[in-house]
């Protein structure tokens, strides 16, 4: 067996050992460790192919070309779709939906095995052996961050391989049979004797836990969150799956709010009406608030670009106002904010996320003392001049309107014709979308009695129908549900919102209690965005929908849920249509059964395209592979193979010596020849080897015009090895980076 073949086998063995540990750790993090044999088959193939073609330069070119062609063909024949599916499954896995990954466990193991196998082969090159611990450290950090410390034992082979590569990086002539047994014993002993849990320094452990928590919150927030609901304030007496019934609001203090005017602080937003309750089917995806990748999505969710232009700059209603919220009691993870958030300062340790439903929430439940500030235009239906703005915005193009209208005008099939007739009758004289919404709000607030003590809601009757035609009394969830449904019936996109109503005193302060828990409706207008409507008596602004530009006067009344006395009607009540048939005769379809736990935070089941997060992972892997390839390409042992003359080979070895000496802060002086430089270095006895023979070889070559012979090349190679062996680990890494990324014209020893 030739010496070159032995070296290739030794390198392949180290690459396989490194890949085994890395692949096992990755599969542990994905919960797919049983797929390790399948992944290792792909890894061994990815190692064997370049190893078999690395006998000479031509073979390497052929081998890597064949591999590149095979990968391209695989991507064309469906591999790209497989990668997209895997990345989608990975995204869901990181979001807590681990069951999906089991469907693609085999594909994930094969792809990971191939990628890690090739990466391990590149890292096993002698010139880059000092970089082999980096992926091991990264894998260990991943296991620690995901709290799967037991998987660290699977990294023992990779740790052993990386330490072996480090030793051979400095002592290249040492045999693998000598170094591997010597390292195996201490590595195994240290791994087995070190407990994965046990005694720790409290201060260090707390710091490590805080670091892990911070990284997980900003990068891998997947924990189920506690979603706000008015059920916490006593407004769901019949359970979270059924609206209605006698409400008993809590009087505990929730928060203190600093605001220039009455503000509706949104907690949860729901889009789907079942006949018994509202639920959210759009807000499953989570997006880090400060992540620049989601700027467009955040702007769309909070109408940041609407109405825009000169209209927004010149109108006082659209001016941003500052609202500060200080939490006074434990609450859900939902952060209570206005609708059109422009900026958010979470303060403290809160890490805000948002979703497609335009909810903002933290990575933990809110605690007393949490303080955050938002800026937003505080607009409400009924504000003077708001109708003029909406009518002006309707002339602008709104590309999002069609999709929003399709989602937020959907209604269940069981609703009866008399409810649609009522919606049309209320809006028969309205000429604009805003006038229709305002008419529905006024009709509900003037013709239905506010009451907390109401009869139980029959499970077999539609909730809104029962309120509109039978009981005709209720509290905020009744009015908000009815208005949202009626708006949808006349083609207005509308959604149901729960949160708190904060009405400030003369100093701009409001102490919000459970009595101010509230529900209302948001209606979307083309070119303008969402606007808050509150049909609950005593809360809506009773100004007509006209273009009066006088500033609105804030309503200083208490929450309707705190004082359930309805105001006297200003007009004669409009007669409600008599029902054509008893609503109790038509049951709600069985396809909307009651649910004990509404799917508040489940991924949406719609046609939303899959996340492109997988692209960042793929780019990161490609960048790592490119980095390893660049480093290997620039190392002297690899550069020598590209040299065509002996003079070029001598220059490569000499340049490597100069780079190593430069890292050690040993540099030639001005006008100092190589012979003079190396003689000066020898006189300082800084090196374990004499450099003078290399200087003489360079002088004969560049000044004597002699052709370097084999002895001179051997001397240059051994000199480079000796100098590199004398470098410390950090100096070796600096030398590798210098040779890989510093331009040759800035480090060459050749004089122009």
């Amino acid at each position: 067996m030739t010496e070159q073949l032995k070296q290739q086998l030794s390198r392949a063995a180290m690459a396989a050992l490194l890949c085994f540990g890395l692949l096992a750790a990755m599969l542990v993090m994905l919960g797919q460790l049983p797929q390790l044999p399948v992944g290792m088959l792909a890894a061994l193939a990815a190692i064997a192919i370049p190893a078999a073609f690395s006998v000479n330069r031509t073979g390497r070119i052929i081998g890597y070309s064949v591999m590149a062609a095979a990968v391209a063909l695989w991507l064309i024949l469906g591999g790209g779709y497989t990668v997209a599916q895997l990345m989608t499954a990975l995204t869901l896995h990181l979001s807590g939906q681990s069951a999906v990954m089991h469907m693609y466990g085999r594909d994930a193991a094969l792809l990971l095995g191939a990628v890690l196998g090739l990466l391990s082969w590149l890292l096993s090159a002698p010139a880059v052996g000092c970089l082999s611990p980096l992926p091991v450290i990264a894998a260990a950090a991943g296991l620690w961050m995901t709290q799967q410390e037991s998987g660290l034992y699977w990294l023992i082979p990779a740790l052993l391989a990386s330490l072996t590569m480090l030793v051979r990086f400095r002592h290249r002539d040492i045999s693998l049979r000598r170094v591997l047994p010597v390292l195996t014993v201490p590595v195994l002993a240290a791994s087995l004797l070190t407990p994965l849990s046990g005694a720790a320094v409290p201060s260090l452990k707390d710091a490590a836990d805080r670091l892990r928590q911070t990284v997980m919150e900003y990068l891998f927030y997947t924990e189920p969150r506690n979603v706000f609901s008015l059920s916490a304030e006593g407004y769901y007496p019949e359970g979270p799956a059924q609206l209605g019934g006698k409400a008993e609001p809590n009087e505990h203090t929730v928060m203190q709010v600093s605001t220039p005017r009455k503000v509706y602080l949104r907690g949860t937003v729901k889009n789907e009406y079942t006949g018994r309750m509202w639920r959210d089917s759009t807000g499953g995806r989570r997006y880090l608030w400060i992540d620049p990748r989601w700027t467009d999505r955040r702007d769309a969710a909070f109408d940041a670009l609407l109405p825009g232009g000169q209209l927004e700059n010149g109108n006082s209603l659209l001016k941003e106002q500052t609202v500060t919220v200080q939490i006074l009691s434990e609450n859900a993870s939902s952060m209570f904010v206005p609708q059109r958030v422009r900026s958010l300062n979470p303060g403290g340790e809160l890490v805000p996320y948002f979703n497609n439903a335009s909810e903002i929430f933290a990575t933990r439940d809110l605690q007393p003392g949490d303080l955050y500030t938002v800026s937003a235009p505080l607009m409400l239906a009924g504000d003077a001049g708001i109708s003029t703005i909406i009518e002006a915005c309707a002339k602008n193009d709104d590309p999002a309107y069609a999709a929003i209208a399709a989602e937020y005008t959907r209604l269940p099939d069981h609703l009866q014709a008399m409810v649609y007739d009522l919606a049309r009758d209320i809006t028969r004289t309205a000429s604009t979308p805003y006038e229709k919404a305002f008419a529905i709000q006024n009709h509900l607030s003037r013709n239905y009695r506010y009451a907390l003590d109401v009869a139980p809601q029959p499970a077999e009757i539609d909730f809104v129908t029962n309120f509109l035609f039978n009981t005709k009394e209720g509290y905020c969830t009744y009015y908000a549900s009815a208005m949202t449904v009626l708006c949808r019936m006349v083609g207005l996109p509308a959604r149901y919102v729960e949160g708190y109503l904060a009405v400030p005193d003369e100093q701009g302060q409001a102490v919000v209690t459970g009595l101010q828990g509230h529900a209302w409706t948001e209606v979307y207008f083309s070119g303008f965005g969402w606007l808050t409507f509150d049909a609950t008596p005593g809360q809506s602004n009773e100004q007509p929908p006209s273009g009066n530009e006088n500033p609105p006067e804030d309503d200083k009344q208490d929450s309707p849920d705190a004082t359930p006395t309805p105001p006297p009607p200003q007009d004669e009540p409009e007669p409600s249509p008599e029902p054509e048939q008893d609503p109790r005769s038509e049951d709600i379809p069985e396809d909307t059964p009651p649910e004990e736990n509404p799917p508040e935070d489940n991924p949406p089941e719609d046609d939303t395209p899959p996340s492109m997060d997988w692209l960042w992972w793929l780019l990161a892997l490609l960048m790592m592979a490119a980095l390893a390839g660049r480093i290997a390409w620039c190392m002297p042992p690899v550069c020598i193979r590209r040299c065509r003359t002996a003079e070029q080979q001598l220059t490569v070895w000499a340049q490597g010596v100069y780079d190593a000496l430069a890292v050690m802060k040993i540099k030639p002086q001005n006008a100092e020849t190589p012979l003079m430089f190396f003689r000066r270095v020898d006189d300082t006895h800084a090196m374990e080897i004499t450099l003078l023979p290399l200087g003489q070889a360079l002088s004969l070559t560049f000044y004597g015009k002699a052709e370097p012979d084999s002895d001179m090349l051997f001397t240059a190679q051994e000199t480079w090895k000796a100098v590199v062996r004398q470098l410390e680990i950090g100096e070796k890494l600096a030398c590798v980076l210098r040779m890989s990324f510093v331009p040759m014209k800035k480090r060459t020893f050749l004089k122009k």
Side-chain angles (χ1 to χ4, degrees):
M1 182 180 297
T2 64
E3 185 64 27
Q4 188 175 9
L5 181 57
K6 289 182 180 179
Q7 293 177 357
Q8 292 297 96
L9 291 176
S10 174
R11 179 180 173 183
M14 286 296 97
L17 200 61
L18 177 64
C19 181
F20 178 83
L22 295 176
L23 179 60
M26 292 291 293
L27 293 178
V28 166
M29 284 185 274
L30 296 178
Q32 300 299 316
L33 187 59
Q35 300 292 341
L36 180 59
V38 176
M40 277 308 299
L41 289 177
L44 292 176
I47 294 172
I49 294 175
F53 285 94
S54 295
V55 178
N56 52 53
R57 181 183 179 184
T58 304
R60 286 191 296 273
I61 295 175
I62 295 175
Y64 286 113
S65 299
V66 170
M67 291 180 64
V71 171
L73 182 61
W74 175 72
L75 291 173
I76 294 174
L77 295 179
Y81 176 77
T82 301
V83 172
Q85 293 294 100
L86 285 175
M87 293 306 171
T88 302
L90 177 61
T91 301
L92 294 174
H93 177 78
L94 294 176
S95 302
Q97 306 294 325
S98 301
V100 181
M101 182 55 71
H102 291 286
M103 300 172 56
Y104 301 97
R106 180 184 177 87
D107 292 336
L110 288 171
L111 184 59
L112 279 175
V115 173
L116 292 177
L118 183 58
L119 177 63
S120 299
W121 170 257
L122 295 175
L123 290 175
S124 65
V128 294
C130 61
L131 301 178
S132 58
L134 296 181
V136 181
I137 295 173
L143 290 169
W144 176 70
M145 294 300 303
T146 56
Q147 296 184 329
Q148 299 186 81
E149 289 88 347
S150 59
L152 291 173
Y153 286 125
W154 286 99
L155 276 176
I156 293 177
L159 177 61
L160 181 60
S162 64
L163 291 177
T164 303
M165 293 178 191
L166 276 178
V167 172
R168 301 189 73 191
F169 177 75
R170 183 162 186 175
H171 306 281
R172 297 194 179 188
D173 295 333
I174 192 170
S175 172
L176 182 63
R177 291 178 296 178
R178 291 181 55 190
V179 66
L180 193 58
V182 174
L183 291 175
T184 301
V185 175
V187 168
L188 289 178
S191 302
L192 296 176
L193 293 177
T194 302
L196 296 181
S197 60
V201 179
S203 59
L204 294 179
K205 182 179 184 302
D206 292 343
D209 289 341
R210 287 196 300 270
L211 174 62
R212 171 164 53 191
Q213 184 66 24
T214 300
V215 174
M216 293 300 294
E217 287 178 346
Y218 277 97
L219 300 180
F220 305 106
Y221 171 46
T222 60
E223 297 295 325
R225 71 181 186 95
N226 184 15
V227 182
F228 171 77
S229 172
L230 281 179
S231 60
E233 305 297 358
Y235 289 99
Y236 282 79
E238 298 188 19
Q242 177 63 67
L243 291 164
K246 181 180 179 180
E248 297 180 354
N250 299 319
E251 299 183 13
H252 71 100
T253 304
V254 178
M255 69 185 86
Q256 182 171 347
V257 181
S258 174
T259 175
R261 68 167 296 184
K262 177 173 67 176
V263 59
Y264 288 77
L265 299 174
R266 309 154 80 246
T268 184
V269 182
K270 304 181 180 182
N271 67 304
E272 184 177 348
Y273 177 64
T274 68
R276 297 189 179 98
M277 58 173 289
W278 289 91
R279 59 190 180 191
D280 173 35
S281 63
T282 65
R285 285 294 311 278
R286 304 172 178 181
Y287 309 97
L288 182 65
W289 178 266
I290 64 173
D291 193 333
R293 292 180 298 164
W294 311 123
T295 300
D296 293 342
R297 194 176 295 269
R298 185 177 68 230
D299 290 346
F302 297 94
D303 296 340
L305 304 180
L306 297 177
Q310 296 298 322
L311 182 62
E312 183 171 357
N313 297 331
N315 196 288
S316 59
L317 284 176
L318 300 172
K319 182 181 179 180
E320 295 181 18
Q321 306 286 343
T322 300
V323 178
T324 301
V325 178
Q326 183 174 13
I327 303 299
L328 301 178
S329 63
E330 293 185 3
N331 213 310
S333 65
S334 305
M335 298 178 67
F336 304 102
V337 297
Q339 190 270 318
R340 292 177 182 249
V341 176
R342 293 293 185 262
S343 64
L344 170 63
N345 181 10
E349 299 179 353
L350 293 177
V351 179
Y353 278 70
F354 71 97
N355 58 19
N356 291 328
S358 73
E359 299 170 346
I360 301 179
F361 47 91
T363 55
R364 59 168 174 81
D365 290 352
L366 301 184
Q367 302 295 328
D370 287 338
L371 179 71
Y372 55 90
T373 301
V374 298
S375 64
L378 306 180
M379 296 178 292
L380 302 175
D383 285 345
I386 193 70
S387 62
T388 302
I389 299 176
I390 294 176
E391 291 175 12
C393 292
K395 302 175 183 178
N396 300 330
D397 182 44
D398 189 346
Y401 181 78
I404 291 175
E407 174 60 42
Y408 292 99
T409 56
R410 291 189 301 154
L411 288 168
D413 295 335
H414 68 265
L415 289 169
Q416 302 175 40
M418 61 182 180
V419 187
Y420 286 89
D421 293 339
L422 175 60
R424 288 190 289 267
D425 184 63
I426 295 171
T427 60
R428 66 181 182 277
T429 61
S431 59
T432 66
Y434 176 76
E435 290 179 358
K436 291 181 180 181
F438 203 86
I440 294 172
Q441 173 183 276
N442 283 346
H443 175 83
L444 293 173
S445 62
R446 295 175 181 179
N447 293 280
Y448 293 84
R449 191 175 76 90
Y450 183 90
L452 293 174
D453 189 2
V454 294
Q457 168 66 28
E460 69 276 8
I461 304 178
D462 177 80
F463 174 74
V464 170
T465 303
N466 190 46
F467 169 61
L468 292 175
F469 296 101
N470 295 336
T471 65
K472 299 185 179 181
E473 63 178 7
Y475 41 90
C476 58
T477 59
Y478 287 75
Y479 290 91
S481 298
M483 178 163 186
T484 306
V485 169
L486 291 173
C487 283
R488 291 186 176 191
M489 287 181 170
V490 294
L492 299 176
R495 59 190 182 188
Y496 173 90
V497 186
E498 291 183 353
Y500 291 96
L501 174 59
V503 182
D505 56 20
E506 295 179 355
Q507 287 73 39
Q509 300 295 318
V511 177
V512 178
T513 70
L515 297 176
Q516 279 77 51
H518 201 43
W520 60 91
T521 299
E522 290 179 354
V523 181
Y524 190 91
F525 299 101
S526 179
F528 176 83
W530 296 98
L531 181 65
T532 297
F533 285 79
D534 189 356
T536 303
Q539 294 308 312
S540 59
N541 295 335
E542 291 293 337
Q543 299 177 12
S546 64
N548 185 11
E549 295 300 332
N550 295 326
E553 297 182 1
D554 292 342
D555 192 345
K556 304 295 183 180
Q557 300 183 27
D558 294 335
S559 168
D561 300 337
T563 57
T565 303
Q570 298 181 10
D571 301 324
E572 287 297 323
E574 297 180 20
S576 301
E578 293 297 326
E580 300 177 0
Q581 57 179 336
D582 187 357
R584 301 173 186 269
S585 63
E586 184 169 337
D587 296 343
I588 299 177
E590 295 182 358
D591 60 349
T592 57
E595 302 181 20
E596 294 185 2
N597 296 310
E600 299 286 356
D601 203 33
N602 289 337
E605 296 180 1
D606 54 18
D607 295 330
T608 302
S611 169
M612 296 298 291
D613 288 349
W614 63 270
L615 183 59
W616 296 97
W617 290 84
L618 181 59
L619 290 176
L621 291 175
L622 292 176
M623 289 178 64
M624 290 178 62
L627 177 63
R630 170 65 181 177
I631 292 174
W633 180 262
C634 295
M635 292 301 101
V638 177
C639 293
I640 286 295
R641 299 168 184 172
R642 303 197 299 270
C643 295
R644 297 183 178 181
T645 65
E647 180 179 335
Q648 292 176 347
Q649 295 180 13
L650 181 65
T651 303
V652 169
W653 292 122
Q655 185 62 56
V657 173
Y658 269 81
D659 289 329
L661 293 175
V663 170
M664 301 171 66
K665 309 300 183 184
I666 303 175
K667 298 181 180 180
Q669 299 174 355
N670 292 333
E672 191 173 35
T673 65
L675 184 61
M676 297 168 58
F677 173 50
F678 289 147
R679 181 180 287 116
R680 179 170 59 84
V681 175
D682 288 344
D683 291 342
T684 63
H685 302 288
M687 308 302 299
E688 297 177 354
I689 186 175
T690 178
L691 304 179
L692 187 58
L694 177 58
Q696 294 172 341
L698 292 174
S699 296
L700 289 173
T701 300
F702 294 107
Y703 300 110
K705 303 301 181 180
E707 182 71 16
D709 56 23
S710 59
D711 291 337
M712 295 169 63
L713 295 177
F714 178 78
T715 298
Q717 180 180 4
E718 292 303 311
T719 302
W720 177 78
K721 290 181 179 179
V723 174
V724 170
R725 282 197 298 267
Q726 196 165 331
L727 297 177
E728 301 294 335
I729 294 298
E731 292 174 336
K732 288 183 178 180
L733 179 59
C735 185
V736 168
L737 296 177
R738 174 184 171 86
M739 290 187 290
S740 302
F741 301 105
V742 177
M744 178 60 71
K745 65 180 180 179
K746 292 186 177 182
R747 58 187 178 91
T748 180
F749 72 95
L750 297 176
K751 303 300 181 182
K752 295 183 180 179

